[in-house]
Amino acid sequence: DYDTEYHYLFKIIYDAKKNGSSDFQLLLPNATRKMLEMFVSFAAPTQTSFAGALGESGVVLTENNLKALERLVQIESHGTMEGMGILPSLTVEESIRACSAAIEFIQKRDPKHYHAMKSMCDRL
């Protein structure tokens, strides 16, 4: 149902933010980071680091979302799945906050893109 992996990840993150929960709880931290990495690779093509691309954007997030995004970048720096018994470092609540922060970042960084992606999500 999705044209790209980015579309799929955006839908997961958007729905988690919208619903305050997700069937993909264990995947949310890495999915959120991967989605943002894909977004900023196009939004800031000259930036070599993920954190640098987020920082150079000039986007001002609400305080709680800024902290959630900083924590996501610090903790889920390319986490590994060592086994199904290993839980992610972010709590459920932190994962949902990171989803909200990621969506807010995209919305403020590129409103036209955000609205197109939101429309796609709402249709599915």
Side-chain angles (χ1 to χ4, degrees):
D1 292 336
Y2 304 95
D3 291 335
T4 67
E5 180 182 15
Y6 176 78
H7 287 94
Y8 174 67
L9 294 173
F10 190 98
K11 173 76 167 143
I12 290 171
I13 305 311
Y14 176 80
D15 286 349
K17 178 224 180 256
K18 182 178 169 183
N19 301 328
S21 65
S22 175
D23 293 337
F24 303 98
Q25 193 60 52
L26 293 176
L27 301 175
L28 281 181
N30 282 327
T32 304
R33 182 181 173 91
K34 186 169 187 173
M35 182 204 59
L36 279 174
E37 284 176 337
M38 290 176 180
F39 176 78
V40 298
S41 71
F42 289 97
T46 60
Q47 196 49 251
T48 57
S49 78
F50 176 54
L54 293 176
E56 84 154 14
S57 70
V59 170
V60 178
L61 300 177
T62 58
E63 182 64 25
N64 288 340
N65 280 347
L66 178 60
K67 288 178 182 176
L69 207 53
E70 288 171 348
R71 185 152 166 78
L72 174 74
V73 169
Q74 291 169 1
I75 291 179
E76 296 298 328
S77 177
H78 286 298
T80 59
M81 289 285 283
E82 296 177 13
M84 292 307 286
I86 305 297
L87 293 175
S89 298
L90 293 180
T91 66
V92 172
E93 294 81 14
E94 288 175 314
S95 294
I96 298 298
R97 279 194 298 273
C99 291
S100 179
I103 296 299
E104 181 188 0
F105 176 82
I106 291 171
Q107 182 179 14
K108 289 183 174 180
R109 177 68 169 82
D110 190 339
K112 184 177 177 182
H113 173 78
Y114 165 77
H115 288 294
M117 293 301 293
K118 179 183 180 300
S119 292
M120 185 256 338
C121 290
D122 290 340
R123 281 193 314 270
L124 295 175

